[in-house]
């Protein structure tokens, strides 16, 4: 009977893991800042500019959550890829580096090439090895439920988060078909709250998907515009969970404008520098907590960014 009990508990534990797919949510210290990186395909290169300014200004980021391209850049950064390396990568990357055209009832392209691409840029292979805790969001294609990954291998959750419906084939993980996290978490602020972030900084890549008066170029522009409209009409939840929203000016950039990476990075930098006064207030408000913690550890408190 003792062995039978162990078997039953093991099966129950496996069932819980299959349901969530993601593992336990790590907790964060008091005053911690969480960074939510939204989706936007090539426009997501603006996230690099955001990270660049936060690093230059010594703004400590305790936890990151990413959706779609935000998951890709978040995984790279949290794995130890430096800002200069991210800038170099963005200047070289093109659609063909992670997509292969195919014919399927699920979509027009497979993102299996992302396996090689991600394996070449990520410094680690699992969530547990990351330098900064990370959450990656995806959406269950069958139920519409949001799925948040915090543990296990990195590559497939990032691929699932980037599986843009209608363009990319869904990614199957543990028997579930998963698609782009933008459907469930357009900007993943709520997962950061669940992970214990005290302050949440959200990066929203809002822009016009079509070419102005000329209209959409093809089916993917139509799909993209529909998603952009739906997200703007249903943004209340993620905005309510954010303390501050950064909106880089990515208007005029198409979903596949990878060759314009320098301008996108500048857009991220400009928007983040405008937000710095408010972010610094967070650090000043949390300074007493850090000083108290340092006193208990008999160590000097870290210096605030100026």
């Amino acid at each position: 009977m003792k062995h039978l009990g162990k078997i039953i508990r093991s099966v129950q534990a496996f069932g819980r893991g299959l349901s969530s797919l993601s593992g336990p949510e790590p907790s964060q210290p008091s005053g911690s800042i969480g960074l939510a990186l939204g989706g936007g395909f090539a426009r997501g290169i603006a996230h690099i500019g955001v990270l660049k300014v936060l690093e230059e200004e010594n703004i400590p980021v305790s936890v990151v959550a990413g959706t779609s391209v935000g998951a890709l850049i978040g995984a790279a950064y949290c794995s130890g890829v430096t800002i200069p390396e991210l800038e170099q990568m963005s200047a070289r990357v093109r659609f063909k580096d992670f997509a292969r055209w195919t014919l399927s009832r699920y979509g027009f392209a497979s993102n299996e090439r992302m396996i090689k691409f991600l394996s070449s840029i990520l410094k680690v292979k699992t969530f547990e090895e990351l330098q900064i805790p990370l959450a990656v969001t995806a959406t269950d294609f069958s139920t519409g439920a949001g799925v948040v990954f915090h543990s296990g291998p990195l590559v497939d959750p990032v691929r699932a988060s980037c599986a843009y419906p209608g363009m990319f084939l869904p990614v199957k993980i543990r028997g579930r078909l998963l698609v782009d996290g933008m459907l469930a978490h357009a900007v993943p602020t709520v997962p950061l709250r669940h992970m214990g972030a005290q302050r949440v900084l959200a990066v929203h890549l809002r822009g016009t998907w079509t070419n102005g008066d000329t209209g959409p170029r093809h089916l993917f522009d139509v799909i993209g515009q529909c998603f952009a409209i739906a997200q703007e009409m249903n943004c209340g939840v993620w905005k309510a969970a954010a303390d501050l929203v950064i909106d880089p000016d990515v208007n005029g950039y198409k979903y596949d404008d990878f060759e314009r990476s320098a301008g996108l990075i500048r857009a991220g930098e400009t928007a983040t520098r405008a937000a710095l006064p408010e972010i610094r207030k967070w650090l000043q408000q949390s300074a007493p907590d850090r000083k108290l913690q340092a006193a208990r550890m008999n160590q000097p408190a870290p210096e605030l960014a100026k």
Side-chain angles (χ1 to χ4, degrees):
M1 292 298 293
K2 181 186 291 186
H3 293 297
L4 179 59
K6 287 183 178 179
I7 292 172
I8 292 173
R9 287 192 295 273
S10 297
V11 172
Q12 289 173 335
F14 176 78
R16 289 192 297 271
L18 187 59
S19 175
S20 67
L21 294 181
S22 59
E25 296 170 345
S27 60
Q28 298 302 315
S30 175
S32 62
I33 295 176
L35 180 64
L37 303 177
F41 218 63
R43 292 172 175 170
I45 293 172
H47 290 319
I48 298 174
V50 175
L51 290 165
K52 183 177 182 178
V53 171
L54 294 177
E55 213 176 74
E56 288 176 349
E57 299 297 326
N58 296 317
I59 306 296
V61 174
S62 300
V63 61
V64 176
T67 287
S68 198
V69 65
L72 191 158
I73 291 177
Y77 184 73
C78 292
S79 77
V81 178
T82 66
I83 297 299
E85 287 173 333
L86 284 172
E87 290 178 311
Q88 292 171 10
M89 177 194 73
S90 69
R92 296 193 310 265
V93 71
R94 295 294 183 268
F95 182 81
K96 63 180 177 60
D97 292 320
F98 47 80
R100 176 177 57 82
W101 295 112
T102 186
L103 185 60
S104 168
R105 68 183 186 274
Y106 289 117
F108 290 94
S110 164
N111 68 6
E112 286 187 356
R113 286 182 177 174
M114 285 189 72
I115 298 174
K116 181 178 180 181
F117 175 75
L118 290 168
S119 298
S120 69
I121 65 171
L122 296 177
K123 302 291 177 110
V124 300
K125 295 182 179 180
T126 67
F127 282 86
E128 289 80 4
E129 298 173 280
L130 293 170
Q131 296 179 7
I132 301 172
L134 172 72
V136 169
T137 70
T139 306
D140 188 306
F141 181 73
S142 298
T143 67
V147 177
V148 182
F149 293 88
H150 303 100
S151 62
L154 273 168
V155 170
D156 277 350
V158 174
R159 285 181 59 223
S161 190
C162 294
Y164 198 77
M167 177 181 290
F168 291 115
L169 277 59
V171 175
K172 183 177 285 189
I173 300 179
R174 299 188 193 174
R176 295 171 71 176
L177 285 178
L178 303 177
V179 294
D180 202 307
M182 288 177 68
L183 293 173
H185 296 283
V187 182
T189 56
V190 174
L192 288 177
R193 292 295 186 189
H194 291 166
M195 295 171 75
Q198 302 299 305
R199 296 287 188 175
V200 172
L201 179 62
V203 186
H204 182 212
L205 302 174
R206 175 174 47 194
T208 303
W209 281 82
T210 59
N211 293 332
D213 296 335
T214 64
R217 298 168 298 163
H218 41 57
L219 174 63
F220 300 132
D221 273 354
V222 175
I223 295 172
Q225 182 68 358
C226 290
F227 273 105
I229 293 170
Q231 287 162 15
E232 291 306 312
M233 297 296 291
N234 297 279
C235 61
V237 174
W238 72 257
K239 282 191 174 181
D243 291 291
L244 182 63
V245 179
I246 292 178
D247 274 301
D249 184 3
V250 293
N251 279 307
Y253 290 93
K254 300 186 292 293
Y255 82 95
D256 54 353
D257 263 344
F258 294 100
E259 68 277 6
R260 300 176 66 188
S261 63
L264 285 162
I265 291 173
R266 283 195 299 273
E269 290 183 68
T270 300
T272 308
R273 290 201 178 280
L276 282 175
E278 184 63 28
I279 298 172
R280 288 200 179 100
K281 289 180 184 177
W282 299 350
L283 300 181
Q284 293 168 358
Q285 291 167 359
S286 63
D289 291 336
R290 291 202 305 275
K291 287 180 179 179
L292 178 59
Q293 182 181 18
R296 288 173 178 168
M297 297 173 62
N298 196 26
Q299 293 180 356
E303 184 178 353
L304 288 175
K306 306 222 176 186

